[in-house]
Amino acid sequence: QGNAEKLPFNDSVYNTITSFEVLEHVPDDTAVLREMFRVLKPGGFLIISVPNRWWFFESHGANVPGFNWIPWNRIPFVSWLPTMIHDKIAQARIYTVPQTSRLVRDAGFRIRQSGFITAPLDVLPNGSIQRFFRRTIFKEDTTGIPCLAVNLFITAEKPGKTHGTS
């Protein structure tokens, strides 16, 4: 365990770092990405996913009066509000691919790939509705259509030569 903004590891010790649904919860996402860069070996890989701003529903919930009847406060279109409004009512930050790419590049990484991860549909009851959506709209794990993606992902590399494996 440790503070993600000051990781308790030496420099250049890891070949790969994965961060799934973390950056939106830390106080300083920029500092966390810099720390990931620091502890990653040259030539190492970073794989991250964060909530997608263009998904129809607020993926972490929002505190909007009158909408407490919606399960888990997953209120439609809150994620599409301007950032200064969204961040006041939502329970976590959300990101766009250009914004996240910029954060990752500014930390020193070279972007290898980015894209959108489709909805898992785990909140729908098993049955014909879930099967319909899985066979039609959400039949692939990734999509090029931002509003059909719950999350976005980026794979990046720390520039430099790889120095063995561990």
Side-chain angles (χ1 to χ4, degrees):
Q1 289 185 342
N3 179 341
E5 295 174 17
K6 189 166 174 46
L7 294 170
F9 307 114
N10 292 328
D11 295 354
S12 303
V13 292
Y14 294 103
N15 292 317
T16 304
I17 295 175
T18 57
S19 173
F20 298 150
E21 309 311 302
V22 173
L23 290 180
E24 67 271 19
H25 297 287
V26 298
D28 186 347
D29 51 6
T30 300
V32 171
L33 285 164
R34 277 193 229 117
E35 275 296 278
M36 290 177 179
F37 185 86
R38 180 186 67 78
V39 302
L40 196 63
K41 291 179 182 179
F45 293 99
L46 172 69
I47 305 163
I48 64 169
S49 68
V50 293
N52 173 27
R53 169 172 285 287
W54 304 118
W55 174 237
F56 293 112
F57 298 93
E58 176 53 48
S59 60
H60 284 79
N63 301 314
V64 179
F67 283 89
N68 57 350
W69 56 272
I70 296 177
W72 309 289
N73 294 327
R74 303 302 197 255
I75 302 169
F77 306 111
V78 166
S79 58
W80 294 8
L81 292 172
T83 301
M84 67 181 254
I85 297 170
H86 173 270
D87 289 355
K88 288 182 182 185
I89 61 174
Q91 296 173 7
R93 284 187 299 273
I94 53 178
Y95 298 85
T96 63
V97 169
Q99 173 192 21
T100 309
S101 296
R102 186 174 49 256
L103 287 168
V104 169
R105 276 194 307 271
D106 288 352
F109 292 98
R110 186 174 31 227
I111 305 290
R112 302 272 310 238
Q113 183 181 14
S114 64
F116 296 99
I117 302 169
T118 58
L121 302 179
D122 56 345
V123 297
L124 291 178
N126 286 328
S128 59
I129 293 174
Q130 190 182 83
R131 280 192 303 277
F132 169 78
F133 281 110
R134 286 183 192 262
R135 288 182 188 153
T136 57
I137 298 170
F138 299 104
K139 62 185 175 182
E140 302 293 329
D141 293 328
T142 61
T143 181
I145 305 169
C147 65
L148 297 182
V150 174
N151 306 81
L152 61 92
F153 72 91
I154 291 183
T155 58
E157 182 179 11
K158 181 176 180 175
K161 280 190 143 189
T162 305
H163 299 289
T165 61
S166 63

